[in-house]
Amino acid sequence: MKRTSMEGVACPVARSLDVIGDWWSMLIVRDAQLGLRRFGEFQKSLGVAKNILSQRLRHLVAHGILEVQPASDGSAWQEYVLTAKGHSLFPILVALGEWGREHCFQEGEARTELRDKAHGLPLKPLEVRAADGRLLSPQDTRVEQVPPER
Amino acid sequence: MKRTSMEGVACPVARSLDVIGDWWSMLIVRDAQLGLRRFGEFQKSLGVAKNILSQRLRHLVAHGILEVQPASDGSAWQEYVLTAKGHSLFPILVALGEWGREHCFQEGEARTELRDKAHGLPLKPLEVRAADGRLLSPQDTRVEQVPPER
DNA sequence: CTCGTTCGGTTTCATCATGAAACCAAATGA
DNA sequence: TCATTTGGTTTCATGATGAAACCGAACGAG
């Protein structure tokens, strides 16, 4: 009866969600993106129960999104840092942030925003474009079966 | 002890996940994007338990992502269709799909892919850019506290 | 070196969410 | 008219989550 898994499914969206689709994983990745590395830092930032955090970190390491490193400050503890695979989640975070900023706040609510470090300006909204550069809306797209690689 | 909510949190990513961060919501949105509208269609496509689907559809409607309409085929049933707010989740789906395609398949596994309907070509990879058009990596960005609107 | 504290977890247990299956009413349709 | 389909709700067993207690290893002040 287990929680249903998308392992056998051919849809890449489902596959992604199977790996990072739980309540905490993307927030851990977000914090890692911001430079947090230590168990305690994540725990304090997220307010998540320690057993759950422990579970999630293990999961993310197992999936190659985080990796464990010796602490950078010379102590004997370890640190969790994003791998290249983890860093490539960046556009998902940006997309989630953009939607959240737009649709999940009341007027007058305090909020944070991801900005260009160089000028402190907001980012350009994400755009879905065709290979030739045309801006695409959902109706301009279609799901295709693709022959397996190799 | 309830599942922790991000309602009071100022981070737009957390807010988004609070609304669409569960295992099924984005998949329902994906299917809705593909044109599915009826309870039974979603149920068959996702293989989700009917009580859960019922719950999720109610949730998505409550959050203004789907809306209930009289059936388009003249029958007395109702249909669930995306609102503008729901359609604006498109970039998130694309980002998830892109990451999943890249990182969640073994060589030789069958998969699907979102393509440009016009030419059947794959989409251009998503890019995070600054307002002035510069391509940004995570290190080029920073989280800022933004004064509340209005 | 020694002892109290911090860090990074694991264990335990109560509670919530999920999933499977049975059940049901309204709409459909033969 | 009556069986079937649709769109759910209810029930119940089980899995996941969260809070708190617990614990050993590392650290750090003296």
Side-chain angles (χ1 to χ4, degrees):
Chain A
M1 192 184 82
K2 334 231 359 157
R3 235 220 66 246
T4 23
S5 152
M6 301 292 162
E7 262 197 52
V9 176
C11 171
V13 174
R15 292 289 186 102
S16 289
L17 291 173
D18 212 32
V19 176
I20 49 144
D22 68 287
W23 292 101
W24 294 112
S25 291
M26 282 307 290
L27 292 175
I28 293 172
V29 170
R30 174 202 64 177
D31 278 356
Q33 205 81 254
L34 293 177
L36 304 201
R37 306 168 147 240
R38 299 281 281 259
F39 187 94
E41 292 179 315
F42 290 113
Q43 212 257 314
K44 188 172 158 204
S45 161
L46 298 171
V48 58
K50 300 206 290 178
N51 52 348
I52 304 297
L53 176 58
S54 176
Q55 232 173 257
R56 288 298 176 270
L57 288 172
R58 254 198 314 272
H59 176 84
L60 291 171
V61 169
H63 283 273
I65 291 168
L66 293 175
E67 64 184 349
V68 172
Q69 284 190 352
S72 52
D73 61 0
S75 77
W77 311 114
Q78 53 179 21
E79 295 182 343
Y80 299 89
V81 301
L82 287 170
T83 61
K85 182 171 174 182
H87 277 294
S88 67
L89 289 165
F90 187 51
I92 301 180
L93 279 176
V94 173
L96 285 169
E98 196 172 311
W99 191 82
R101 178 168 48 80
E102 208 62 33
H103 296 287
C104 300
F105 287 88
Q106 313 271 22
E107 253 181 33
E109 264 190 300
R111 69 193 74 182
T112 59
E113 189 178 330
L114 194 67
R115 296 198 161 188
D116 176 4
K117 196 180 276 182
H119 311 103
L121 293 173
L123 307 185
K124 185 170 177 187
L126 282 179
E127 297 167 336
V128 179
R129 291 187 178 274
D132 59 21
R134 282 162 30 249
L135 204 57
L136 297 179
S137 71
Q139 303 89 301
D140 302 322
T141 66
R142 173 178 55 187
V143 173
E144 284 188 26
Q145 261 293 343
V146 172
E149 306 214 323
R150 199 59 31 88
Chain B
M1 191 185 82
K2 333 228 6 157
R3 236 219 66 248
T4 24
S5 153
M6 302 292 162
E7 262 197 51
V9 177
C11 171
V13 174
R15 293 289 187 103
S16 289
L17 291 173
D18 212 31
V19 176
I20 50 146
D22 69 287
W23 293 101
W24 294 111
S25 291
M26 283 307 291
L27 293 174
I28 293 172
V29 171
R30 173 201 65 176
D31 279 357
Q33 205 80 255
L34 293 177
L36 304 200
R37 307 170 144 240
R38 301 282 280 256
F39 186 95
E41 291 178 316
F42 290 113
Q43 212 257 313
K44 188 172 160 204
S45 161
L46 298 171
V48 58
K50 300 206 289 176
N51 51 347
I52 304 297
L53 177 58
S54 176
Q55 233 173 255
R56 288 298 175 271
L57 289 173
R58 253 199 313 271
H59 176 85
L60 291 171
V61 169
H63 282 272
I65 291 168
L66 294 176
E67 64 184 350
V68 173
Q69 284 189 351
S72 52
D73 62 358
S75 78
W77 312 112
Q78 53 178 21
E79 294 182 343
Y80 299 89
V81 303
L82 288 170
T83 61
K85 182 172 173 181
H87 277 295
S88 68
L89 289 166
F90 187 50
I92 301 180
L93 279 175
V94 173
L96 285 169
E98 195 173 311
W99 190 83
R101 177 169 49 81
E102 206 64 32
H103 295 287
C104 301
F105 287 88
Q106 314 268 25
E107 254 181 33
E109 264 190 299
R111 70 193 72 182
T112 59
E113 190 178 329
L114 194 66
R115 296 200 161 188
D116 176 5
K117 197 181 272 180
H119 312 103
L121 292 174
L123 306 186
K124 184 169 176 188
L126 282 179
E127 296 166 336
V128 178
R129 291 186 179 274
D132 59 21
R134 284 161 29 248
L135 204 57
L136 297 179
S137 72
Q139 303 90 301
D140 303 322
T141 65
R142 173 179 54 186
V143 172
E144 285 188 27
Q145 261 293 345
V146 172
E149 305 214 326
R150 199 57 32 91

